[in-house]
Amino acid sequence: MRITSRVLALVAGLLAFGAVQPAKSQTADPARALVERVTEATLDNGLRVLLVEDHSAPVIAFNLMFGVGGLDEPAGLGGIAHMVEHMAFKGTTTIGTDQPLLEQQALAAVEVRALALAHVRDGGSPEEVAAAEEAFAAAQQRAQSLALPSALDSLLSSAGAVGLNASTGYDRTAYVVELPANQLELYARVYADVLRDTVFRYFYAERDVVRQERRQRSEDDPQGFLFEAFQDAAYVRHPYGRSLIGDAETIESYRATEAKAFFEAFYHPGQAVLVLVGDVQPETDLPLLERYFGTIPAGTPPRVRLPSEPPQKEERRVTVDYDAQPQIVIGWHKPTYPEREAFVLDLISALLSDGRTSRLYRRMVVEDGLALNVTTSSAFPGVREPNLFIFYGQPRSPNGPAQLEAALYEELERLRSEPVGDEELDKVKNRVVASTVRALSSNSGLAAALAFNELFAGGWERLMLDLEIYQSVTAEEIRTVARKVFRPENRTVGVLLPSPGQAAEVRR
């Protein structure tokens, strides 16, 4: 294990700083000399560990983040990363059953019955399908009778866990929880066991939960339906264009053996960073963490070669007919971090839609009454790869998407032709810095930011440099980047139009 200690000056300084201060004074303010310590270590199996001391309360926020997500899914298994995330809460050989050998046999029988059912559904008679479904249900019932429901949740909850959760994105998967500091060893034992020995129990019941989740998020939700069609149109090759949760047919075809193979192939210590923020004692806690996490085999994650998205050469448009109020989303391809243009576009996004005094909100919502709400994002749908700058708006009747689109293009033309004034630019920089500070104001927020920077930005220290970049952006850079990115041939437009009483449909 390699251990180094560094001063987390900027983060600690920002936290001490509290409220937003004038942008130019932040980097020189002596308040930022107030420091806390971060200790980083890399275990022999490649797991990176960051400990940040904050002894204000006897609790620790944990964030175990893997650089694995929807981008890494093989063809035909869209959404499997999200499914695997669900499985990590189902326990291990020693957490979740008191009859592990019998359960192992029962779970193997479930797989056999699942394959048999898939086979007869593909050409069998109705009687054969019904018999296979009955056998499959019986096998699941037998396996579940040997399991202890929610054993992992109960174990951590009884130890005082708060915020036990997980999330999957295109870029990463994260497992988070807060525990009393005296439960550190419990955390290490449980999560190391999960990484080493996850049992995919309740898989098919959980598959049904994910199928329902997709229905709620993407099929029965007009915004989700529109965004799926929009992403599919915006990308012709890159996996950012496919559904993160997977399509319905793919979800229903998942097998536990395939999901476990994906987990074993990708979720290695070298793909992860473990961040602890709170009442930690590096000199005693690091050896304890190494005792449990250090015994996990290093493994060799497969190299995923992502297809490059070819340059877009003409505007693309997609129309969704849906029984809902009209909506519009427009996106432009752009670079991602650490390219400087990505930071400039962060400021442009704040300039356009962050707050009631932002340009788009003031014009479209307040002054012209064109929209119920408008928003922009400068990093959609992920950050590992070049992504999109997007605008989203809901028109206010009797206006429609066309009125929002026209007003947006006028504001973007203003960005291209007129330099942003010093006062407005300083205000936007302060707003972006303040947003970053707010995200770091909790132990869990700080843990998430450090984990993300460690995995994707070249190191947790990058957090410091990012804020300095924002402060250095000029009005001329904003105009230059706006001219480069907001070109008609670089954009994709998705429009949802009301279709009362009609089935949802996508038109190109």
Side-chain angles (χ1 to χ4, degrees), residues 42-79:
T42 302
L43 307 189
D44 291 341
N45 58 17
L47 178 66
R48 287 164 280 177
V49 181
L50 301 176
L51 297 95
V52 183
E53 294 182 62
D54 177 358
H55 302 292
S56 58
V59 296
I60 301 174
F62 299 86
N63 191 310
L64 177 61
M65 187 178 291
F66 290 84
V68 181
L71 290 182
D72 304 291
E73 296 163 345
L77 282 177

Side-chain angles (χ1 to χ4, degrees), residues 233-311:
Y235 289 96
V236 297
R237 294 182 59 189
H238 195 274
Y240 275 155
R242 67 192 183 197
S243 168
L244 179 61
I245 199 171
D247 60 55
E249 184 178 354
T250 300
I251 293 171
E252 289 169 0
S253 70
Y254 288 161
R255 300 284 174 271
T257 46
E258 295 171 334
K260 187 162 188 177
F262 180 76
F263 179 79
E264 292 175 348
F266 282 91
Y267 292 76
H268 295 297
Q271 295 274 78
V273 58
L274 172 62
V275 182
L276 294 74
V277 180
D279 191 17
V280 294
Q281 306 289 344
E283 64 277 11
T284 56
D285 293 347
L286 268 176
L288 187 149
L289 292 170
E290 186 180 28
R291 187 191 316 161
Y292 292 100
F293 286 100
T295 60
I296 302 169
T300 305
R303 295 176 63 87
V304 176
R305 293 187 176 181
L306 298 175
S308 299
E309 182 68 16

Side-chain angles (χ1 to χ4, degrees), residues 199 231 272:
V199 174
Q231 283 179 247

Side-chain angles (χ1 to χ4, degrees), residues 402-422:
Q403 284 72 33
L404 267 63
E405 188 176 358
L408 172 65
Y409 295 160
E410 288 178 8
E411 288 299 328
L412 295 182
E413 180 55 35
R414 182 183 165 199
L415 268 182
R416 285 190 289 257
S417 57
E418 300 175 11
V420 179
D422 291 342

